[in-house]
Amino acid sequence: MIILKKDICSDFERASSREWLETNGIGGYASSTVSGANTRRYHGLLVAATQPPLGRVVMLSKFEETVIINGERFEISCNQYPGKVHPDGCKYLVELRLDPFPIWTYEVNGSVIEKSVFMVNGENTTVCQWKVTGEPEISVSKIEIELRPLLAFRDHHHLRSEHGGFDKSFQIGDGAVSVRPVENMPSINIAHNAFEVEEQGYWYKDLEYEIERERGFDFHEDLFQPFSLKFDLTEPAVVIASTEQRVAADADILRRSEMKRRAAIIAGSGAKDSLSRQLVLAADQFIVDRGAGKTVIAGYHWFSDWGRDTMIALPGLTFSTGRPAIAKSILTEFSNHISEGMVPNRFPDVGETPDYNTVDATLWFFEAIRAYTENTGDFEFVRVKLYDKLAAIIDWHVRGTRYGIHVDTDGLLYAGEPGTQLTWMDAKIGDLVITPRTGKAVEIQALWYNALCIMSDLAVRFGDTAQQARYSEMDEVARESFNGQFWNDDAQCLYDVIDGVERDPSVRPNQIFAVSLRHSMVDPERARKIVDKVEAELLTPVGLRSLSPLDSRYVPVYVGSPIERDSAYHQGTVWGWLIGPFVDAFRKVHSKDPIADARISQILEGFDAHISGTMVGQISEIFDGEHPHKARGCAAQAWSVAELLRVNFVAR
């Protein structure tokens, strides 16, 4: 359980700088800040996945909440408007806890009120409840709560304006209200146990979203309030906002079912401590349905399911949490979308045609399969369903596939064309690629060699003697070429990219994969020097910098306009997920060091405070390169959580 106390909760700035997240397993989510003030366009109590796992629509943005005690009104919600916070309800907020979902505690004029929010797995359904706990400090003859829903009904990437087309009508039923303001979107059905529904029809104008302002985007929105609901708090007030038909009486059943589901996930993981258990629940939030299979949402709030992120995150999200069947489903689903020897890089929000603009997602697919067999022993699945596809991938890479990806005469893998960004360092501004890395990128060679070794091992197991000899010959050629070309003797580490006679000496974290992957091309002496270089120049308490601070192009802080931020994305910004390969590499080169485990624990301590400091219960995507390493980017990132789980936090 994570608990935030009054010193944070009742301070608007501190409470608004911390977010919470609920997800539904099909791509939808609910999220806002601890204070209740939305600070992103992506915040909302019901962000429905209308085309699971995508097509996400902010339907219900939030509730305005007013507690009425003996006729006196107390506003407990928060909003930021130009030059003013109104209402400033977090002054009544004394605690937020994840137990396992967010629960707020308010002290209002002597009465204690708890609010809880959770989503139902498999449905676009959010359940909200308000209840009085304990005995009031003063005599209370009557306590009520009034809720005023604020509707957005727009794509979660966009903002709502009063001037847009919006049907203000609604239908009242028995214990329910149905609204469909936008024709091409589903209705929202609000089941409730209110004693009064009052038609109102007001626009709340010019709400300000601070994080959008910081990120250089439009940050004002208008929201529509069609009606109000009034409840007698002698019993819990219940609202179920859903694209399904629900009744308020379902709330307790849904709550028990969801708590049982989450408890089973924790039990199945074998997590031994509170931090590990929280990370297991965090991991679950990224695993969603795609068709009949499973996939991984790369990050909340704006990412969809990306092939690269999915393959990197898969071991931590599934094997470290005791869920190998989900790994099998994900591998199967992505194998169904292989095209020209490539795994999809991204499934877009709109349309069904995936993007294949990556060189490394496919190579990480091999590593995910290796991890699957290591953790399950299920080689038969790989033999029957995947081996021929893997062999075809190798063949496509040898003869050449999209974006100039091909095996060169030296046995190394070349990738890239003008205007493309194929590695994980993929920032692009218009036609300008910030880190094109065209040619032979160091981690791509490490992954290619690793894939060849994996295929050689599988060929031996499956009795494919001819192919085993071929893969072994290919990996030996790649190893010799790599060691002959990539060692930078002046810097005592690896070049980042080689393209013909050009050698990029940038000190970046990509070289760590030449040590961390199961099959490594470098000898122990060089491996130790690589780890030492990365530790000295790139390691921070929350991951690895993407570029050495000694480089003239280094950008220490990830702020500003979209152009400024994209320019800094891989030029010094710290990436949390890279802590995983660094720990793997550190363990390899310090395997005989008796204090290695203590040093690793020290390295990972930086994440302890972070898990309750930004997105409560989650790990962020990126951080500033310099102290205090403020979290930036996506507030919840799949591979950040997954790599922490994989390397340290869950004892299996």
Side-chain angles (χ1 to χ4, degrees):
M1 186 190 304
I2 295 176
I3 300 176
L4 304 182
K5 292 296 189 179
K6 185 176 181 179
D7 62 325
I8 293 173
C9 293
S10 63
D11 182 314
F12 178 78
E13 288 190 10
R14 299 183 75 186
S16 298
S17 70
R18 290 163 171 83
E19 301 173 70
W20 58 270
L21 175 70
E22 280 285 298
T23 63
N24 65 358
I26 57 173
Y29 61 87
S31 182
S32 186
T33 68
V34 170
S35 74
N38 290 347
T39 58
R40 301 184 189 267
R41 66 187 63 206
Y42 301 98
H43 283 157
L45 277 177
L46 178 58
V47 183
T50 59
Q51 301 173 46
L54 304 176
R56 289 168 287 191
V57 174
V58 181
M59 304 182 81
L60 173 61
S61 180
K62 61 177 301 182
F63 285 110
E64 292 291 88
E65 305 155 74
T66 305
V67 176
I68 308 166
I69 301 175
N70 295 338
E72 186 176 0
R73 298 173 67 88
F74 301 88
E75 305 285 348
I76 64 170
S77 51
C78 286
N79 296 309
Q80 176 73 59
Y81 292 99
K84 186 177 182 63
V85 175
H86 178 78
D88 185 14
C90 66
K91 63 188 177 185
Y92 301 111
L93 182 57
V94 297
E95 181 183 278
L96 175 120
R97 67 185 189 273
L98 291 189
D99 190 21
F101 34 76
I103 300 174
W104 292 258
T105 302
Y106 297 88
E107 290 183 357
V108 185
N109 200 32
S111 295
V112 178
I113 297 165
E114 274 194 357
K115 176 178 74 174
S116 63
V117 174
F118 69 92
M119 291 200 84
V120 177
N121 193 254
E123 289 185 15
N124 289 311
T125 299
T126 303
V127 181
C128 308
Q129 185 182 82
W130 295 256
K131 66 180 181 180
V132 176
T133 64
E135 293 295 325
E137 294 179 2
I138 64 172
S139 177
V140 175
S141 60
K142 192 173 188 180
I143 182 167
E144 300 171 329
I145 189 167
E146 181 182 278
L147 304 176
R148 301 181 296 283
L150 303 188
L151 306 181
F153 271 79
R154 41 83 175 172
D155 182 283
H156 77 153
H157 296 305
H158 300 157
L159 291 170
R160 167 61 60 189
S161 168
E162 178 185 1
H163 304 294
F166 210 79
D167 184 348
K168 301 176 183 178
S169 65
F170 56 89
Q171 291 73 49
I172 298 178
D174 185 14
V177 184
S178 180
V179 188
R180 191 184 183 190
V182 180
E183 186 175 341
N184 64 351
M185 294 183 184
S187 299
I188 185 173
N189 303 300
I190 298 180
H192 62 84
N193 61 350
F195 68 80
E196 178 181 286
V197 180
E198 180 181 347
E199 181 176 357
Q200 295 186 333
Y202 302 120
W203 281 97
Y204 284 58
K205 302 188 67 174
D206 279 341
L207 288 100
E208 285 192 347
Y209 299 152
E210 176 60 21
I211 294 178
E212 301 301 319
R213 185 193 66 78
E214 289 178 1
R215 290 170 60 81
F217 295 123
D218 293 340
F219 61 99
H220 288 101
E221 180 162 51
D222 304 332
L223 298 171
F224 185 66
Q225 186 242 316
F227 56 85
S228 65
L229 301 166
K230 190 173 284 188
F231 303 78
D232 184 342
L233 283 180
T234 55
E235 64 177 10
V238 174
V239 173
I240 303 177
S242 179
T243 57
E244 310 291 325
Q245 295 290 338
R246 286 289 185 179
V247 296
D250 293 339
D252 287 341
I253 296 171
L254 294 173
R255 178 187 295 269
R256 288 194 295 271
S257 175
E258 185 58 22
M259 291 187 73
K260 182 178 179 181
R261 188 189 73 85
R262 298 189 198 192
I265 290 170
I266 292 173
S269 73
K272 301 281 194 263
D273 58 80
S274 60
L275 182 57
S276 297
R277 289 192 288 270
Q278 182 54 53
L279 285 170
V280 168
L281 292 179
D284 178 62
Q285 294 187 314
F286 300 103
I287 298 169
V288 299
D289 294 342
R290 173 169 281 282
K294 295 287 186 181
T295 187
V296 171
I297 294 294
Y300 292 97
H301 303 84
W302 52 81
F303 282 130
S304 59
D305 45 342
W306 289 65
R308 174 191 298 119
D309 299 60
T310 296
M311 296 307 144
I312 292 171
L314 183 144
L317 297 185
T318 60
F319 308 132
S320 297
T321 60
R323 306 175 81 179
I326 289 177
K328 185 175 184 178
S329 177
I330 292 170
L331 293 172
T332 300
E333 180 64 22
F334 272 82
S335 75
N336 293 333
H337 295 278
I338 293 171
S339 169
E340 297 182 29
M342 299 176 73
V343 167
N345 186 34
R346 184 177 73 97
F347 291 96
D349 277 327
V350 179
E352 296 298 322
T353 304
D355 298 329
Y356 289 88
N357 56 334
T358 172
V359 61
D360 52 352
T362 305
L363 303 178
W364 280 111
F365 184 56
F366 284 81
E367 174 59 17
I369 291 168
R370 184 205 63 76
Y372 176 81
T373 58
E374 180 182 83
N375 283 272
T376 67
D378 185 8
F379 286 95
E380 184 64 10
F381 162 65
V382 176
R383 185 187 68 80
V384 173
K385 297 291 186 182
L386 301 178
Y387 182 67
D388 288 345
K389 293 182 178 182
L390 296 177
I393 288 172
I394 298 294
D395 291 342
W396 269 103
H397 281 63
V398 169
R399 66 175 178 263
T401 184
R402 297 177 178 92
Y403 303 108
I405 298 170
H406 67 278
V407 177
D408 207 347
T409 54
D410 59 3
L412 298 178
L413 194 62
Y414 186 98
E417 296 173 342
T420 62
Q421 71 282 27
L422 302 181
T423 72
W424 78 276
M425 290 188 162
D426 57 359
K428 186 177 182 180
I429 305 168
D431 294 329
L432 175 63
V433 179
I434 305 302
T435 48
R437 307 184 71 234
T438 300
K440 299 165 186 175
V442 63
E443 82 279 12
I444 302 307
Q445 310 318 311
L447 285 161
W448 174 242
Y449 176 80
N450 190 60
L452 291 172
C453 292
I454 290 167
M455 287 303 289
S456 180
D457 291 345
L458 291 175
V460 170
R461 180 173 288 273
F462 301 149
D464 192 353
T465 306
Q467 288 291 71
Q468 190 275 328
R470 175 184 175 229
Y471 297 138
S472 292
E473 181 180 356
M474 290 173 68
D475 72 49
E476 179 60 22
V477 171
R479 187 185 66 80
E480 290 185 6
S481 294
F482 182 85
N483 282 287
Q485 298 181 55
F486 269 87
W487 186 250
N488 181 348
D489 200 50
D490 291 339
Q492 291 293 287
C493 64
L494 297 172
Y495 288 109
D496 190 59
V497 183
I498 290 177
D499 188 9
V501 297
E502 297 293 326
R503 283 163 168 72
D504 181 359
S506 303
V507 177
R508 295 186 182 275
N510 305 304
Q511 61 188 301
I512 203 70
F513 296 102
V515 182
S516 66
L517 288 166
R518 176 58 56 88
H519 301 285
S520 172
M521 292 182 283
V522 297
D523 63 40
E525 181 182 356
R526 285 184 172 180
R528 180 69 175 257
K529 291 178 179 178
I530 291 166
V531 173
D532 288 348
K533 172 66 76 170
V534 170
E535 182 175 8
E537 297 187 25
L538 304 180
L539 181 64
T540 77
V542 283
L544 300 184
R545 295 184 181 96
S546 46
L547 182 65
S548 169
L550 303 179
D551 195 297
S552 62
R553 298 165 297 171
Y554 174 72
V555 182
V557 180
Y558 179 84
V559 293
S561 68
I563 292 175
E564 290 172 312
R565 287 184 287 106
D566 283 344
S567 298
Y569 206 32
H570 302 106
Q571 300 289 68
T573 297
V574 174
W575 289 76
W577 78 276
L578 293 173
I579 204 67
F582 178 79
V583 168
D584 288 339
F586 189 92
R587 281 176 171 154
K588 273 189 179 182
V589 302
H590 294 281
S591 60
K592 297 180 181 179
D593 187 340
I595 65 170
D597 287 343
R599 173 63 179 139
I600 289 170
S601 295
Q602 182 186 45
I603 289 169
L604 295 170
E605 283 176 359
F607 292 96
D608 293 355
H610 172 66
I611 200 168
S612 60
T614 302
M615 176 71 84
V616 181
Q618 276 285 356
I619 306 295
S620 297
E621 175 192 18
I622 55 177
F623 305 82
D624 287 341
E626 296 300 314
H627 182 79
H629 303 293
K630 183 176 179 179
R632 306 286 187 180
C634 267
Q637 194 78 0
W639 58 12
S640 299
V641 171
E643 285 297 271
L644 280 174
L645 278 166
R646 187 183 62 79
V647 298
N648 189 68
F649 286 139
V650 178
R652 298 293 296 149

